[in-house]
Amino acid sequence: MRILVVSDIHANLPALDAVLAAARSGGGFARVWSLGDTVGYGPQPNECLERMQGLGALSVAGNHEGAVLGQLPLSDFNPAAARAIEWTVVQLSGQMTDYLRTMPARLEESDVTLVHGSPRDPAWEYLSLARQAADNLASFTTQGCAHGHTHVPAWLSVEGQRMAGGRPGEGTTVKIGRGRFYLNPGSVGQPRDGDSRASYAVVDLEVRRVTFRRVPYDIRETQRLMQAAGLPAVLINRLSIGR
């Protein structure tokens, strides 16, 4: 079974549609795992949520979902992010707000734990260091953990005391071995690794491998929509540089 893994869509519909089109033309997928922050920052929260709901995505909540639902204080966010969250709250339809409420903090499927941040702190921890990965192993019992939040694609395998991994580039394929692992597909809607292309991953459970992908999208269209909505300039400009 091929699984499309996405995270941090951030209401960027052109990026999401580019990912879906590329994944379909590249072999298709039977399932979607969405690792949080479908909303926030971007101009089309309802449309992105509708895409995920229509696909029957297995979705967990991120910190931006928590803030939109009033579960996390806006004071925890920087001013630009907080302003975008306030805008999102006004824009969301009742149906999509109800959909957000169905998203748990963590899920398990196919021996993989799905979270936004980390297993021990699903909403907030940025899981980017080997030490953090080692400390989090006790917080989940599945073989793997798929997470987002950092906006940077990453792979880490753990076998005994040995850890190996890094930041995979476009087309990188890694095998799922016998040990435990962490998978971060990067960000669909707001990459922060210096590559402005939308980032995602495809897990193939039959051959036990993960492929990391990048796809260009119409950044100017997203920026145009953000500007028309009056969203903060810093959020608009960073899309061009992937930072």
Side-chain angles (χ1 to χ4, degrees):
M1 181 172 66
R2 288 169 58 87
I3 301 167
L4 172 62
V5 187
V6 296
S7 189
D8 298 281
I9 297 166
H10 282 299
N12 188 337
L13 187 64
L16 176 57
D17 280 346
V19 164
L20 293 176
R24 286 175 176 134
S25 65
F29 51 90
R31 194 75 158 123
V32 179
W33 291 349
S34 183
L35 306 178
D37 280 7
T38 302
V39 301
Y41 296 143
Q44 294 178 284
N46 287 303
E47 293 86 346
C48 289
L49 289 169
E50 287 165 2
R51 290 283 193 280
M52 291 293 99
Q53 188 178 49
L55 288 165
L58 196 63
S59 300
V60 295
N63 54 308
H64 283 255
E65 279 83 20
V68 165
L69 294 175
Q71 299 165 352
L72 296 175
L74 287 182
S75 58
D76 288 348
F77 294 79
N78 67 59
R83 181 177 166 191
I85 289 166
E86 291 174 327
W87 179 88
T88 300
V89 171
V90 174
Q91 300 302 313
L92 278 178
S93 68
Q95 181 182 355
M96 290 301 104
T97 301
D98 289 342
Y99 177 49
L100 288 184
R101 293 193 178 102
T102 70
M103 297 179 184
R106 58 187 286 165
L107 289 167
E108 293 182 8
E109 184 178 78
S110 303
D111 207 21
V112 178
T113 296
L114 313 184
V115 294
H116 180 61
S118 75
R120 67 180 175 186
D121 185 358
W124 273 117
E125 184 175 16
Y126 289 89
L127 213 171
S128 57
L129 301 175
R131 174 180 52 78
Q132 292 173 294
D135 292 344
N136 266 276
L137 288 172
S139 297
F140 67 105
T141 59
T142 55
Q143 180 188 11
C145 172
H147 64 100
H149 197 36
T150 67
H151 296 217
V152 176
W155 171 264
L156 183 67
S157 62
V158 184
E159 294 196 23
Q161 299 299 311
R162 183 175 178 272
M163 290 189 174
R167 295 184 178 181
E170 153 62 20
T172 297
T173 296
V174 295
K175 291 288 290 184
I176 301 175
R178 292 174 295 178
R180 302 179 78 185
F181 65 86
Y182 291 92
L183 156 66
N184 186 331
S187 173
V188 170
Q190 197 179 92
R192 293 181 185 168
D193 60 347
D195 186 336
S196 62
R197 295 175 297 172
S199 181
Y200 66 101
V202 176
V203 176
D204 192 325
L205 292 177
E206 291 185 5
V207 296
R208 295 186 61 77
R209 70 185 180 195
V210 179
T211 303
F212 293 85
R213 292 293 186 190
R214 304 301 284 252
V215 61
Y217 72 95
D218 192 345
I219 293 174
R220 289 186 178 180
E221 173 62 10
T222 300
Q223 291 175 320
R224 182 188 69 79
L225 292 170
M226 292 176 74
Q227 187 172 23
L231 290 165
V234 64
L235 302 179
I236 298 171
N237 296 333
R238 73 188 311 175
L239 292 178
S240 298
I241 58 175
R243 289 289 185 191

